[in-house]
Amino acid sequence: MSIYDLPAVNASLNGLSAILLTAGYIFICRKNIIAHRNCMISAFCVSVIFLCCYLTYHTYLAVELHRGPTRFVNPHWFRHIYLAILISHTILAIVIVPMILITISRALRERFDKHKQIARWTWPLWMYVSVTGVIVYLLLYQIFPQK
């Protein structure tokens, strides 16, 4: 494996996070609190690993190769759609970090009423970020590979 495999690893981690988030949601709907907790903590750990891999890859591009991230150029007609997905993904990825930390912190302190209040916002945003992370990868590296 090389540094150039990290975008695929990152997409896989985002996909795994989405699967764990879905399972966690299903478990809490079924009142299986322990399974819910395990899925959500696992989703958090997977997201932390993703962040480490993401930062490693982009730091390598900047420091070692003296270049920025891959740009979506072609097809030109799809560029605006791609950028809308990417920009919403990026903004929400920044917003979601403190929300996740607050949500998990409240659950760990057994403040479940407060946990539930923020979790109803955290879960869909976190899911959106995870799913759009996979979509961005597919568009940039698989469907419309950029040169």
Side-chain angles (χ1 to χ4, degrees):
M1 184 164 111
S2 77
I3 193 85
Y4 299 105
D5 295 319
L6 283 180
V9 169
N10 290 340
S12 299
L13 291 168
N14 270 322
L16 180 56
S17 178
I19 291 166
L20 290 165
L21 289 169
T22 301
Y25 181 81
I26 291 167
F27 284 130
I28 201 60
C29 287
R30 294 180 180 170
K31 309 281 191 248
N32 188 338
I33 295 169
I34 293 172
H36 166 75
R37 181 196 65 209
N38 293 341
C39 283
M40 301 314 281
I41 290 172
S42 296
F44 175 74
C45 292
V46 167
S47 294
V48 168
I49 294 167
F50 159 82
L51 183 59
C52 292
C53 290
Y54 178 87
L55 292 174
T56 298
Y57 177 72
H58 287 282
T59 300
Y60 179 81
L61 288 182
V63 173
E64 297 296 323
L65 301 182
H66 306 290
R67 66 177 196 148
T70 305
R71 295 185 64 222
F72 191 98
V73 179
N74 291 310
H76 184 72
W77 64 269
F78 197 80
R79 181 170 157 69
H80 296 295
I81 297 168
Y82 169 81
L83 288 176
I85 296 167
L86 178 64
I87 290 167
S88 65
H89 167 81
T90 304
I91 291 169
L92 290 176
I94 294 166
V95 168
I96 198 65
V97 171
M99 291 179 73
I100 292 169
L101 295 173
I102 292 167
T103 304
I104 289 176
S105 170
R106 288 178 177 176
L108 293 174
R109 287 186 282 141
E110 298 182 5
R111 296 182 62 199
F112 298 117
D113 55 330
K114 297 284 188 185
H115 167 76
K116 188 175 180 180
Q117 286 177 346
I118 193 170
R120 68 180 48 165
W121 293 97
T122 303
W123 186 88
L125 294 178
W126 192 358
M127 179 63 85
Y128 180 86
V129 168
S130 295
V131 171
T132 55
V134 175
I135 292 169
V136 165
Y137 167 78
L138 291 172
L139 291 172
L140 193 60
Y141 294 98
Q142 300 299 318
I143 299 170
F144 302 118
Q146 305 299 299
K147 295 187 178 26

